[in-house]
Amino acid sequence: MNIVVTGSLGNIGRPLSMALVKSGHSVEVISSTDKRAIEIQQIGATSLIGSLDDDEFLSSSFAGKDAVFCMVPPSYTQPDQIAYYRRLGEKYKKAILKTGIRRVVYLSSYGAHLPYGTGFITGAYHVEQILNSVPDIYLTHLRPTYFYYNLLAFIPLIKAVGNIGAVYGDTDRLPMVSPQDIAEAAAEELVKTQNICAVRYICSDDRNCNEIAAVIGHAVGNPDLKWVRLAKDLVLNSLLENGLSNEHAANLVELSEAIHNGTLHEDYDRHTPTMGKVKLEEYAIEFASVFATT
């Protein structure tokens, strides 16, 4: 198959592209920077250098392909994150309609079943709805859970005060996922010609925050590490004091509240997938390595 992958060679794009190439598919990887071109070629794929905001570039990249992996690359400099998601969703829709590409796999998120109340993930909801309006395509929304590497953001706090703290914590559940398991699921879905599902949840491990703190603490040599819940106003003020915009800080707090009250994973709980390969204990080794050098 001829497959185009958006997202460059990021945490998901690299293992996804490598898996597809290894399986004998022709893979073209979209990246916004020339610096990635050589790396893309080295894994056996073809580089397409340009912007997802460029209608002509996107359409030419999709033309003649059998399948496309669509994602919205993180861009925290965008003043309105939800509008950014909507804009790229509309760009994808336009290119799909123009080129007639039939198989579309979109990297969404758990919580994307909700139209509001989930911070940045509201953007994924809107992209899902935009793509759902495209006729005559075979569409799958991948909904991964909380990315393991988001835990890295807590390293400065652990080193400063000796614990993890957030609006969510303690006994709150936190289904987590490895990019490797996401890439494996995406590679499976992109080449499917039958038994195509509209939504596929992806999770590697499902623990509560106390359990996560215990595993991470053991890995970094702090067996008494705790994950405490903090008041949302305290967290919001801290984010603002550290230079985040009002919009970005408010989205993070809203997302954190959705994790705490369980609304983020309510639909996931109704469609719990088979767990992926990378368990928390394995990721904790990687976490400890970063912790030691930060």
Side-chain angles (χ1 to χ4, degrees):
M1 292 179 67
N2 295 316
I3 302 170
V4 60
V5 173
T6 66
S8 191
L9 294 183
N11 291 305
I12 298 169
R14 182 184 294 275
L16 170 58
S17 299
M18 292 175 67
L20 292 170
V21 169
K22 186 177 180 179
S23 296
H25 300 286
S26 174
V27 180
E28 297 186 23
V29 180
I30 292 177
S31 179
S32 62
T33 174
D34 286 321
K35 295 179 181 178
R36 288 291 197 184
I38 294 177
E39 292 180 72
I40 292 169
Q41 293 164 14
Q42 287 175 338
I43 67 169
T46 300
S47 61
L48 299 170
I49 308 301
S51 171
L52 296 177
D53 269 311
D54 185 332
D55 290 337
E56 290 188 9
F57 168 74
L58 204 57
S59 293
S60 66
S61 298
F62 287 11
K65 305 304 187 302
D66 300 306
V68 58
F69 174 72
C70 295
M71 67 172 293
V72 177
S75 181
Y76 298 116
T77 60
Q78 297 287 329
D80 186 333
Q81 289 288 313
I82 310 305
Y84 167 63
Y85 271 82
R86 285 201 196 102
R87 185 175 77 247
L88 286 194
E90 292 291 350
K91 297 286 185 182
Y92 283 138
K93 177 180 178 178
K94 185 175 181 179
I96 292 165
L97 286 170
K98 185 174 182 179
T99 61
I101 195 167
R102 300 295 304 281
R103 181 68 175 123
V104 179
V105 175
Y106 166 56
L107 181 65
S108 184
S109 172
Y110 81 136
H113 64 292
L114 295 170
Y116 54 83
T118 60
F120 301 114
I121 292 175
T122 303
Y125 165 84
H126 287 294
V127 177
E128 284 197 11
Q129 301 310 306
I130 290 167
L131 294 178
N132 286 344
S133 71
V134 180
D136 302 321
I137 61 172
Y138 300 103
L139 172 64
T140 296
H141 300 303
L142 298 180
R143 290 181 180 172
T145 54
Y146 184 101
F147 284 35
Y148 278 136
Y149 60 71
N150 287 335
L151 294 170
L152 296 174
F154 294 117
I155 288 178
L157 186 61
I158 295 172
K159 291 197 169 186
V161 301
N163 61 36
I164 301 172
V167 174
Y168 53 97
D170 196 22
T171 59
D172 293 340
R173 272 184 53 223
L174 195 61
M176 299 162 292
V177 69
S178 164
Q180 187 64 47
D181 286 329
I182 299 172
E184 184 173 314
E188 291 174 1
E189 292 297 331
L190 282 163
V191 300
K192 278 187 178 179
T193 56
Q194 56 185 355
N195 300 322
I196 291 171
C197 54
V199 173
R200 176 173 175 176
Y201 283 95
I202 313 166
C203 186
S204 303
D205 211 340
D206 195 336
R207 309 282 187 95
N208 69 40
C209 291
N210 285 336
E211 293 169 332
I212 296 166
V215 173
I216 293 297
H218 176 77
V220 301
N222 181 359
D224 296 322
L225 183 68
K226 305 297 182 186
W227 191 324
V228 298
R229 286 196 56 236
L230 304 174
K232 66 177 183 179
D233 289 343
L234 176 66
V235 173
L236 179 61
N237 290 334
S238 177
L239 292 172
L240 293 172
E241 289 171 1
N242 280 280
L244 270 68
S245 68
N246 288 334
E247 190 256 358
H248 193 166
N251 274 326
L252 281 174
V253 170
E254 184 175 80
L255 173 57
S256 296
E257 285 189 286
I259 294 174
H260 167 60
N261 62 35
T263 57
L264 199 69
H265 57 70
E266 61 184 8
D267 191 66
Y268 159 86
D269 288 341
R270 292 192 285 266
H271 306 91
T272 305
T274 301
M275 294 294 110
K277 298 175 182 177
V278 184
K279 302 307 174 189
L280 175 61
E281 283 77 7
E282 182 177 344
Y283 173 71
I285 298 171
E286 179 182 336
F287 182 96
S289 177
V290 177
F291 186 89
T293 58
T294 300

